């Protein structure tokens, strides 16, 4: 019958986005660009050279607030919210006992995993777009806009810059999809959603800590968090694609690996909850 | 009903050994004919729920195989499970969704039905279990009885050939229990096979045609309810002052196990199974006649029909120790 696979997916999206806690996560994320915007607006315009990337550019063009907000939330708040939603995915159904109901409907275990993962990816995209979108709106309200001077010094039209900004949000969403795959895997290991969420968040933070220790520089290329901030390249002209391509590849490998592990675990697991 | 010869449920040597080495289900051979109401009886912890989980493919069997509606499981789960409605170990739903939204979610997962009829299917199922009025209420605000009903509604989302209901009356008040009983009878009358688990004999006895009794992971009895009643055996107790002679007369007539119990006072009692298991039962009138002829003073003759409860306890053991 037509559109059957999408029915469960839609139901899953309703579950994820209908949940108060997840709505609260998105609301908290949206405060980041608002706070940064207000802080920059009320402070003196001469504070360049310190703070997160692009902070100095905000006063020249509001569009940069969207980039700054993504840069600020990407190391912690964004992966944390994806960890919450992905850790919940299977473990949440297991802890409430609803997993057994779905499986006897029957929902094939592979299909369930794919639907769950797809909705995690959508949530990650939504989270990135919320930060980006609110940053854009607040930025345009509080700061000047118009043609944008890129990091490389070239000036592009506002529409061009807007397109680049959207690509940044998509790149961030792809990075979050890596966190989501890890979370989905942890979620198949336990019936305690909090455990899976915490494990995912902790793994992300450990990866970031390791990524900040120069003595272990040799393993940096293998960390899933290393390529996250490569989206800054989108603000150069011409765009250097190398770092971002590596980033997408790294994330792709992590996604494939952890989804495979999750699949192997879920399809052989005894559902005793 | 189509004359399909394959049983609704058939298992051969179905076994579940947990990683801890504990054997939860020990080589059971279930045989559930089509169209029957099968009572799956056993104390808590006897392996009923693990068996049900294996039947539905939630838990993999360590050994043995099984078929549902003639199709081997879990290989054909995708084609056979849509025809099976199940309530496993009590209801489980998303607490912050309404009863109706919860059922819509289950319906959304079912690839065997068209999306178009979802609302109608859900409303009919809610109607059937008497939950239509509370359909929009959040599950977390449901009483235990309402939750149980919602679980049943989930099993009844579409017409099913087989219903597997694990303790469906758990937590229901007497009125609710009676409604579930009526529902099970209706489903049976409509031609569905109902596989009903319970630890309460009284519940099974009232609706079932067939019975399987589990104890410590083994299937210790399987057959029709009538056969179970017969297995319970009718016994006769004779009070007499000359018990040994009475016992001899009774054995000569073909009684089963015959034993003499000394009782306080003048008489002793001789207790015997009226049937030795494979012969026709001994006629009590004839027994008395023979006793009198043999000069045995008969003070009292009582025919004892042990109820199924006693047999159940006898089959499954009793006491407070939890089955492993």
């Amino acid at each position: 019958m037509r559109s059957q696979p999408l029915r469960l997916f839609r139901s899953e999206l309703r579950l994820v986005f209908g949940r108060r806690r997840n709505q609260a996560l998105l609301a908290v994320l949206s405060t980041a660009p608002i706070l940064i915007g207000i802080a920059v607006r009320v402070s003196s315009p001469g504070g360049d050279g310190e703070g997160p990337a692009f902070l100095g550019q905000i006063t020249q063009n509001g569009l940069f607030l969207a980039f700054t907000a993504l840069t600020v939330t990407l190391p912690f708040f964004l992966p944390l919210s994806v960890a919450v939603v992905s850790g919940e995915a299977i473990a949440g159904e297991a802890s409430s006992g609803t997993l057994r109901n779905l499986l006897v409907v029957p929902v094939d275990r592979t299909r369930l995993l794919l639907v769950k993962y797809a909705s995690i990816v959508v949530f990650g995209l939504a989270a990135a777009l919320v930060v980006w979108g609110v940053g854009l709106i607040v930025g345009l309200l509080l700061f000047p806009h118009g043609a944008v001077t890129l990091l490389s010094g070239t000036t592009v039209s506002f529409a061009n810059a807007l397109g680049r900004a959207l690509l940044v949000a998509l790149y961030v969403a792809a990075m979050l999809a890596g966190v989501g795959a890890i979370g989905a895997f942890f979620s198949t290991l336990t019936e305690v959603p909090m455990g899976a969420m915490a494990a995912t968040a902790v793994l992300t933070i450990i990866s970031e800590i390791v990524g900040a220790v120069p003595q272990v520089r040799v393993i940096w290329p293998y960390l899933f968090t290393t390529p996250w901030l490569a989206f800054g390249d989108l603000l150069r002209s011409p765009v250097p694609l190398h770092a971002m391509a590596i980033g997408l590849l790294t994330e792709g490998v992590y996604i494939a690996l952890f989804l495979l592990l999750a699949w192997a675990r879920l399809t052989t697991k005894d559902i005793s909850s | 009903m189509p004359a399909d010869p394959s049983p609704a449920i058939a298992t051969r040597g179905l076994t579940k050994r947990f990683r801890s080495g504990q054997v939860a289900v020990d080589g059971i051979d279930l045989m559930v004919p089509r169209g029957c109401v099968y009572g799956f009886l056993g104390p808590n912890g006897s392996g009923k729920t693990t068996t049900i989980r294996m039947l539905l493919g939630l838990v993999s069997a360590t050994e043995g195989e099984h078929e549902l509606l003639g199709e081997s499981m879990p290989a054909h789960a995708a084609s056979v499970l849509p025809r099976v409605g199940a309530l496993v170990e009590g209801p489980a739903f998303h607490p912050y969704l309404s009863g109706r939204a919860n059922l819509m979610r289950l319906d959304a997962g079912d690839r065997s039905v068209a999306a178009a009829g979802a609302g109608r299917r859900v409303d009919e199922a809610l109607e059937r279990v008497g939950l239509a009025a509370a359909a929009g209420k959040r599950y977390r605000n449901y009483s235990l009885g309402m939750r149980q009903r919602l679980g049943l509604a989930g099993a009844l989302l579409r017409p099913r050939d087989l219903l597997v209901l694990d303790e469906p009356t758990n937590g229901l008040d007497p009125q609710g229990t009676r409604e579930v009983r009526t529902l099970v009878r209706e489903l049976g009358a409509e031609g569905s096979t109902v596989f009903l688990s319970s630890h309460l004999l009284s519940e099974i006895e009232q609706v079932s045609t067939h019975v399987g009794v589990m104890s410590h992971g083994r299937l210790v009895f399987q057959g029709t309810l009538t056969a179970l009643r017969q297995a319970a055996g009718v016994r006769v107790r004779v009070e007499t002052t000359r018990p040994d002679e009475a016992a001899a007369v009774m054995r000569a007539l073909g009684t089963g196990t015959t034993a003499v119990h000394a009782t306080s006072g003048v008489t002793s009692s001789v207790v015997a199974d009226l049937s030795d298991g494979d012969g026709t039962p001994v006629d009590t009138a004839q027994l008395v006649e023979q006793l009198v002829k043999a000069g045995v003073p008969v003070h009292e003759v009582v025919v004892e029909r042990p109820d199924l409860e006693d047999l159940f306890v006898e089959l499954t053991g009793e006491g407070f120790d939890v089955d492993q």
Side-chain angles (χ1 to χ4, degrees):
Chain A
M1 261 144 274
R2 241 164 32 84
S3 83
Q4 285 298 308
L6 289 180
R7 263 190 89 200
L8 186 62
F9 180 52
R10 278 205 305 270
S11 163
E12 189 61 35
L13 288 181
R14 264 198 298 275
L15 196 70
V16 168
F17 287 96
R19 181 139 190 202
R20 291 268 170 81
R21 187 199 57 205
N22 297 347
Q23 293 168 353
L25 280 174
L26 294 177
V28 168
L29 279 170
S30 71
T31 61
I34 297 174
L35 290 176
I36 298 168
I38 292 171
V40 172
R41 187 81 172 92
V42 299
S43 69
S44 61
D48 302 36
E50 281 181 72
F54 318 119
L55 195 62
Q57 276 89 359
I58 295 177
T59 48
Q60 288 144 40
N61 198 309
L63 196 56
F64 279 99
L65 182 58
F67 300 126
T68 312
L70 281 172
T71 313
V72 168
T73 51
L74 188 50
F76 189 70
F77 287 116
L78 279 172
L80 185 73
S81 27
V82 172
V84 166
V85 171
S86 60
E88 173 90 22
I90 303 289
E93 300 273 4
S95 77
S96 66
T98 45
L99 184 57
R100 60 173 188 259
N101 289 351
L102 284 174
L103 295 183
V104 301
V105 159
V107 175
D108 179 73
R109 296 184 188 203
T110 308
R111 174 163 72 118
L112 182 65
L113 181 65
L114 291 177
V115 165
K116 286 280 179 188
Y117 183 63
S119 65
I120 294 167
V121 172
V122 170
F123 182 82
L125 178 66
L129 287 176
V130 161
V131 173
W132 173 83
V134 174
L136 196 67
I137 293 165
V138 174
L140 297 183
L141 286 176
L142 298 182
F143 303 103
H145 46 87
V148 179
T149 308
L150 295 178
L151 300 178
S152 54
T154 31
T155 302
V156 297
S157 70
F158 184 76
N160 181 308
L162 203 59
R164 287 165 188 263
L166 191 61
L167 286 177
V168 167
L170 292 178
Y171 181 81
V172 168
M175 299 299 104
L176 294 174
V179 179
I182 294 168
F185 168 61
F186 283 137
S187 193
T188 61
L189 298 182
T190 173
E191 286 164 21
V192 186
M194 271 303 291
M197 294 173 195
T200 313
V202 165
L203 191 70
T204 306
I205 291 166
I206 287 176
S207 176
E208 285 174 334
I209 291 173
V210 171
V213 178
Q215 283 77 4
V216 290
R217 189 182 292 271
V218 61
I219 65 165
W220 285 5
Y222 306 103
L223 299 175
F224 68 102
T225 48
T226 303
W228 281 8
L229 292 176
F231 66 76
D233 286 350
L234 279 164
L235 299 181
R236 297 175 207 280
S237 185
V239 177
L241 290 172
H242 183 71
M244 284 192 294
I246 297 278
L248 292 174
L249 186 68
T250 309
E251 234 53 45
V253 169
Y254 269 90
I255 291 168
L257 178 69
F258 278 91
L259 280 189
L260 199 64
L261 288 172
W263 174 82
R265 173 67 183 149
L266 185 61
T267 51
T268 55
K269 189 182 186 179
D270 276 349
I271 308 301
S272 52
S273 62
Chain B
M1 201 170 36
D4 193 330
S6 61
I9 300 174
T11 76
R12 279 172 296 279
L14 200 64
T15 300
K16 182 63 189 182
R17 196 177 300 112
F18 287 119
R19 221 174 294 167
S20 59
Q22 174 203 336
V23 182
V25 178
D26 194 358
I28 65 170
D29 300 309
L30 284 173
M31 180 37 215
V32 179
R34 292 270 179 135
C36 76
V37 176
Y38 187 103
F40 193 44
L41 200 56
N44 291 325
S46 58
K48 299 190 302 290
T49 295
T50 304
T51 303
I52 287 175
R53 283 177 184 272
M54 275 195 283
L55 290 178
L56 297 168
L58 291 171
V59 163
S60 61
T62 317
E63 278 165 47
E65 49 192 30
H66 71 284
E67 286 171 12
L68 293 184
L69 303 167
E71 295 191 62
S72 77
M73 279 287 290
H76 294 103
S79 62
V80 72
L81 284 186
R83 296 156 63 202
V84 180
L87 173 67
V88 187
E89 214 182 347
F93 292 97
H94 291 286
Y96 43 87
L97 293 185
S98 70
R100 191 170 192 279
N102 266 300
L103 291 189
M104 285 300 276
R105 180 164 164 78
L106 288 183
D107 191 86
D110 190 349
R111 288 178 132 164
S112 68
V113 290
R120 181 183 46 79
R121 280 192 297 275
V122 166
D123 291 337
E124 280 176 7
L126 287 166
E127 188 73 45
R128 177 138 207 198
V129 298
L131 216 50
K137 220 164 129 176
R138 281 182 179 218
Y139 178 71
R140 59 181 302 168
N141 298 326
Y142 276 17
S143 67
L144 191 53
M146 290 161 85
R147 292 175 177 203
Q148 196 72 27
R149 284 158 195 257
L150 189 64
L152 282 167
L156 297 172
L157 267 177
R158 46 162 290 179
R160 314 279 192 183
D161 295 328
L162 169 65
L163 283 148
V164 177
L165 307 176
D166 192 8
E167 308 263 359
T169 55
N170 239 2
L172 292 182
D173 51 26
Q175 173 69 20
T177 307
R178 189 185 303 205
E179 284 171 20
V180 168
R181 216 181 286 143
T182 309
L183 185 65
V184 166
R185 284 204 195 94
E186 278 173 22
L187 291 165
E190 286 165 20
S192 301
T193 308
V194 185
F195 183 84
L196 184 75
S197 93
S198 179
H199 62 278
L200 297 173
L201 176 86
S202 53
E203 201 168 272
I204 296 286
E205 202 182 348
Q206 293 188 52
V207 290
S208 300
T209 54
H210 291 63
V211 187
V213 181
M214 288 287 283
S215 174
H216 301 271
R218 290 169 184 275
L219 190 63
V220 291
F221 176 87
Q222 178 169 247
T224 60
L225 194 62
T226 322
L228 180 65
R229 288 220 170 85
Q230 275 164 6
V234 181
R235 292 192 296 190
V236 64
R237 181 167 57 85
V238 177
E239 292 289 330
T240 175
T241 44
R242 288 156 68 183
D244 294 331
E245 288 169 43
V249 170
M250 287 155 81
R251 282 198 193 93
L253 277 169
T255 56
T257 320
T258 307
V260 176
H261 301 284
T263 41
S264 56
V266 267
T267 61
S268 293
S269 52
V270 184
V271 180
D273 289 342
L274 268 182
S275 160
D276 61 1
D278 42 54
T280 46
V282 173
D283 178 18
T284 5
Q286 200 191 350
L287 173 67
V288 175
E289 191 187 326
Q290 291 297 321
L291 284 172
V292 172
K293 268 191 190 159
V296 177
V298 177
H299 290 247
E300 194 182 348
V301 175
V302 181
V303 175
E304 294 176 333
R305 291 173 200 279
D307 56 10
L308 288 177
E309 201 74 48
D310 294 335
L311 179 73
F312 178 47
V313 170
E314 200 175 296
L315 283 169
T316 60
E318 66 181 318
F320 288 107
D321 40 317
V322 173
D323 285 358
Q324 284 305 299

